[in-house]
Each structure stands twice: as structure tokens, then as C-alpha cells.
Amino acid sequence: MTVGIIGLGLIGGSLAKAFRRTAGITVLGWDTDSSIVEFAEIAQAIHGPLTDERLKELDLLLLATYPEAVVAHMERLAPLLDKDTMVIDCAGTKEKVCSGVFPLAEQYGFPFLGGHPMAGTHYSGFKYSRADLFDGAPMVIVPPNFDDIRLLDKAKRLLEPVGFGRISITTAREHDQRIAFTSQMAHVVSNAYIKSPTARSHDGFSAGSYKDLTRVAWLNPAMWAELFLENKENLLFELDTLIQNLEQYKKAMEAEDFEALRQLLDEGRRIKEEVDGQ
């Protein structure tokens, strides 16, 4: 099997290293920074550069770039791909990518699936990539339709060397609605929370809760700004909901209303127990 990966940052680099673990798989890579491609080859994450001339060799092409870049790459590459090459993107939002690439896949006859590997760190770049990043992690797949079982089976087989623990199937709209809550909101809240003036004097007074809440404040600003704007409507809904909830806590404390505050806290505790278990 031959796998091509466009974008050799944290996600693309980790995918390359994951595939490279399996004997018999050839991994080719491309990045806007050619020095990263050279370094990835030296680090034995890839076997060589992905060039236009080698596109026809691919069984699987993965695009680990920003959403707009995925569409731009596919507009250029679509006529060059073999009809048996499966293409899966790994961008953080799906509606723009899928609406842009599904028509290209239909026009040129290659299979395309939207994808989102649900793992990462607060660091970015190839140097932080690792082969086991996706071991046991969920992978979300957005197919053009839900009836093509052979297409989904092929995708699962091609992705098997990466080590995903679970593959979920959804629509682009549902993906973006859920990801606004599970990922994007966490980054907004963490990034805003750390702006308190007290943050600069927290040393010696912080433990697990502080670390858990602020871990993803250390983010890639350009990437997350694009993802937030790509998913603006869903993210604004979540932000409005959070602000309304925070106002209730604020009002209860201002009024020194112990019972109202206790009920708010208990409600949050019960919902957490309900959705995530003990």
C-alpha cells in the first residue's frame, strides 16, 4: 500500500509515522515547507516526497491542512488522481471541505470522505508528531452518502494501520455542530480564562483543575482563528449559551443566594454524570 500525506505538521506527521510502523506500506509526504519534507525523510517518517508524478501510485491520500487549503489542493489535484485512490481530509471542520470536494470527487470519479482524527496536543508542528498519537483515538468520517458500505469498509481497512479505536460516521453539519462544543469552545474558554491578571501570580497556588482548564490555551492562533470563523454560527451558539449560564452564577453570587448557587452547581454536576458517567 502507498499512502500520500499533504501537510506534515502534528497531525500529518503523526499519520505518517503511524503508517510507517507497518511493513509493506510506502509513505510519501508533501508540505509547504520543503525543509520539513526533508527532515521527515531523515527522521524516517516518510520514504520520500509526494510529487505529482507519484500521485497515480497512491492507494490513499490524506490531507492534513486547514479547510480552505484542502479545497484548494483538491481543485488542483483532482484531475491527476487515479480513480482508485481514496482521499480523506483531516481538517477540523467539515461543511466547507465536503461541499467543496464532494463535487470534485463525483466529477473526476475518485472516492472522497471527510475525516477528523480526534486526537492532538497543545503543541503544533512536525517535531511534536508521534506514531502513537492516534492509538485508540476516535476517527470521524463524513461520507457522501450512508449507503455505500463498500466505500466505508475500504476506508476502515486503509486506516487500520493508524490504530484508531473507533470510527464514527456522521454528516458534515452534525460534525461541525458537535465539534463547536467538544473542541472549539474548550479552546476559546481556555484562551480567555488565562487572560486574568491573576494568571501571572498563580505559581504555587494551582493544581490539576488549573492545568486541565488552561492546557489548550497554548494553541496555534492562525489555525484556530480559521476554524472558529469556518464554524462561526455553531460556535456563537455555544458561546451565547455559556455566557447566559455564567450570568446565572454571577447573579446568584451577587445576591448571596446560597440555594440558587447550590442548585446551579448541582445541575452541572448531574449533567456531567449523565453525559460522561461516574
Side-chain angles (χ1 to χ4, degrees), residues 75-94:
E75 286 174 344
R76 189 184 76 82
L77 296 176
L80 307 178
L81 291 172
D82 188 89
K83 287 179 170 51
D84 289 328
T85 299
M86 174 165 285
V87 181
I88 302 175
D89 87 281
C90 301
T93 58
K94 295 275 75 77

Side-chain angles (χ1 to χ4, degrees), residues 7-139:
L8 294 173
L10 173 69
I11 300 300
S14 296
L15 288 167
K17 291 176 179 179
F19 278 108
R20 187 68 195 263
R21 294 181 300 187
T22 303
I25 297 180
T26 299
V27 183
L28 306 175
W30 182 92
D31 195 272
T32 52
D33 185 346
S34 59
S35 67
I36 296 296
V37 179
E38 295 174 4
F39 183 75
E41 189 170 2
I42 293 170
Q44 297 188 332
I46 63 174
H47 291 88
L50 175 61
T51 61
D52 287 358
E53 292 73 26
R54 302 199 68 176
L55 285 171
K56 294 285 187 182
E57 302 174 26
L58 301 181
D59 298 288
L60 175 64
L61 174 62
L62 298 168
L63 295 101
T65 66
Y66 298 178
E68 285 191 7
V70 170
V71 178
H73 280 302
M74 290 311 302
E75 286 174 344
R76 189 184 76 82
L77 296 176
L80 307 178
L81 291 172
D82 188 89
K83 287 179 170 51
D84 289 328
T85 299
M86 174 165 285
V87 181
I88 302 175
D89 87 281
C90 301
T93 58
K94 295 275 75 77
E95 287 196 88
K96 182 163 189 172
V97 168
C98 290
S99 64
V101 183
F102 279 152
L104 292 172
E106 185 174 358
Q107 178 183 352
Y108 291 99
F110 61 87
F112 171 77
L113 296 169
H116 190 176
M118 301 303 299
T121 74
H122 52 285
Y123 298 109
S124 60
F126 178 82
K127 68 178 180 178
Y128 296 108
S129 63
R130 60 179 207 262
D132 64 350
L133 182 65
F134 305 110
D135 285 356
M139 173 66 169

Side-chain angles (χ1 to χ4, degrees), residues 159-189:
L159 292 171
E160 187 175 357
V162 180
F164 291 115
R166 174 186 177 187
I167 294 182
S168 300
I169 312 298
T170 188
T171 65
R173 179 181 294 273
E174 185 174 6
H175 168 277
D176 287 1
Q177 288 174 342
R178 293 188 182 186
I179 216 68
F181 173 74
T182 61
S183 177
Q184 294 179 345
M185 266 288 288
H187 285 77
V188 171
V189 172

